[in-house]
Amino acid sequence: ARQVLDGLELCGTYRRPVGGRSTVYQVQPVTSSAELASYAAKAGGIHGAVLARQALRYCMDGSESPMESILVVLFCFPVRLGGYGFPLPVLNFRMDATDLAKNATGKSGFRCDLFWPDAKLVVEYDGREHHGELARRSSDGSRHAALVGMGFEVVRITSENVRNDKEFDAIARSIAKRLNLRMRPTKRDWSAKRDQLRSDILPWPIPLS
């Protein structure tokens, strides 16, 4: 999972803390998912190449924060690894506003943290780590109403939701219904795998149940 997070960061517009430095946002990507895939394909049988190619299945361009990348892992990793097996979303898709939405919000478009086009489903993360960016993107009631008025379903996730495994599980199952995914019976040890995945990647301590 950590290799996937590294790949999403390299292809994203943020940098996680190093030493005493805080997370940095709105920077240029180091590379792209296509370039990483091309390099891995040429790596042949060198040590670590197989694991790298497996990790690249979940790497994509466009992540703008560490938590967006973490949500990709939690939602999209396969069930056997403790995830929910969702298809990969589009990250930070820019959606043009309709005339009505433009008049209501004064904005020509909206950016969506995680977006599943076929389901017209938007998932937005409201976190504490970059309030200025959240405010800039107008994540308020009028923006939410505008997206709903344009025919999209919007699910908002907070840091508290992510911290609480039961709340997060309820949200994930709600998203599965919206994606028209049948939550298949999971293996007996799925809960333990889920807890381990959360413990491995979340930026705060997660007690294992």
Side-chain angles (χ1 to χ4, degrees):
R2 292 186 178 275
Q3 292 90 337
V4 174
L5 292 181
D6 290 342
L8 286 163
E9 180 177 349
L10 290 171
C11 300
T13 60
Y14 67 91
R15 298 293 173 266
R16 285 174 290 181
V18 175
R21 188 189 74 183
S22 300
T23 302
V24 179
Y25 299 95
Q26 296 180 310
V27 298
Q28 289 296 315
V30 173
T31 185
S32 69
S33 57
E35 290 173 343
L36 288 177
S38 176
Y39 180 81
K42 296 173 184 175
I46 66 172
H47 179 70
V50 173
L51 288 177
R53 284 192 284 268
Q54 291 174 347
L56 285 172
R57 297 174 187 172
Y58 305 97
C59 291
M60 65 192 81
D61 303 329
S63 182
E64 294 186 353
S65 75
M67 190 54 71
E68 289 176 9
S69 297
I70 285 172
L71 288 176
V72 169
V73 172
L74 293 177
F75 284 143
C76 302
F77 257 36
V79 170
R80 62 183 175 81
L81 296 179
Y84 288 89
F86 293 173
L88 291 173
V90 180
L91 296 178
N92 289 290
F93 179 78
R94 189 187 185 282
M95 190 180 301
D96 291 334
T98 61
D99 290 340
L100 185 62
K102 191 181 301 183
N103 291 334
T105 63
K107 298 195 174 292
S108 60
F110 309 103
R111 294 182 63 117
C112 307
D113 292 344
L114 283 73
F115 178 52
W116 284 269
D118 292 344
K120 300 191 75 173
L121 174 65
V122 174
V123 172
E124 304 242 275
Y125 175 71
D126 283 353
R128 297 174 178 172
E129 71 266 27
H130 59 313
H131 274 300
E133 175 68 5
L134 288 171
R136 183 186 71 80
R137 290 166 60 181
S138 303
S139 57
D140 54 15
S142 61
R143 181 181 186 278
H144 182 108
L147 286 169
V148 172
M150 290 166 60
F152 298 95
E153 291 194 70
V154 182
V155 175
R156 199 169 299 285
I157 299 177
T158 67
S159 57
E160 287 76 15
N161 297 146
V162 181
R163 282 176 183 269
N164 187 307
D165 60 343
K166 292 183 176 60
E167 289 182 9
F168 189 81
D169 186 67
I171 291 171
R173 292 179 183 278
S174 174
I175 291 172
K177 289 182 180 178
R178 289 173 167 87
L179 293 175
N180 199 28
L181 296 176
R182 188 175 176 186
M183 295 295 287
R184 296 170 297 174
T186 56
K187 293 183 179 179
R188 237 176 122 184
D189 60 348
W190 177 76
S191 291
K193 290 180 180 294
R194 178 202 60 185
D195 289 347
Q196 187 61 59
L197 178 63
R198 287 166 57 83
S199 181
D200 286 346
I201 68 173
L202 289 179
W204 46 72
I206 297 293
L208 296 182
S209 56

